[in-house]
Amino acid sequence: MDDRVLRLTAGALRLFRVANLATMAAFALAILLSFAFAAPLEARLIAKYGSGLAVETVVLAMRLLLAAGLPAGAALHLIFTRLLALVATVRDGDPFTLVNAQRLETIGWAMLALQLLDLGLGGFSLWFAALHVEFVTWSPSFGGWIAALMLFVLARVFRRGAEMRDDLAMTV
């Protein structure tokens, strides 16, 4: 089956996977550079926020925030690779397999990890506010929690579909 939507989806997933890996590399590099250029970074923060800023704590918070991006990137990598494999089986005409059920479950766990990391982002938001440093506004992602739950259910649907298909094949 040659479906334009599946081709576009696969292309987008490949692009997202590359962008995600590049972002993870940039985060790792930024962490390293924050040590190499600690003095100019601290001077810039003091120039922006004043000499009363707990600059060492702000730099630590920035490094930890960047570090938290690495497991988020790993979870996204799992999602993109599993979705690409799933799309390939749909294109081949055989999506209801136990392997795809496992892929969906893995995606569900990765989504759950992202939701937990998102809660951590809320903690960073509070921490930066307490340090009197500008930071993005944060609110919990209820859609992400629902998506994670739906993925676990969908994995069970795929597992049951694969079992039914196998049962039918045995009776024919």
Side-chain angles (χ1 to χ4, degrees), residues 84-99:
L84 274 167
L86 210 149
V87 166
T89 64
V90 173
R91 190 177 44 239
D92 294 342
D94 191 22
F96 289 100
T97 63
L98 292 176
V99 170

Side-chain angles (χ1 to χ4, degrees), residues 15 27 34 41 70 86 96 99 120 137 158:
L15 181 67
F27 281 14
S34 77
L41 174 61
L70 298 176
L86 210 149
F96 289 100
V99 170
T137 58
F158 266 66

Side-chain angles (χ1 to χ4, degrees), residues 7-23 76-77 80-81 84:
R7 282 196 319 270
L8 289 172
T9 300
L13 288 169
R14 285 186 197 94
L15 181 67
F16 294 156
R17 185 179 58 187
V18 169
N20 179 57
L21 290 172
T23 301
L76 285 169
H77 187 73
F80 296 144
T81 57
L84 274 167

Side-chain angles (χ1 to χ4, degrees), residues 45 49 53-54 58 62 125 127-136:
L45 287 167
Y49 294 106
L53 180 72
V58 172
M62 292 169 62
S125 178
W127 191 11
F128 279 101
L131 293 169
H132 306 289
V133 173
E134 294 173 20
F135 194 71
V136 297

Side-chain angles (χ1 to χ4, degrees), residues 133-151:
V133 173
E134 294 173 20
F135 194 71
V136 297
T137 58
W138 174 86
S139 62
S141 169
F142 294 111
W145 288 99
I146 292 168
L149 294 173
M150 284 189 335
L151 282 160

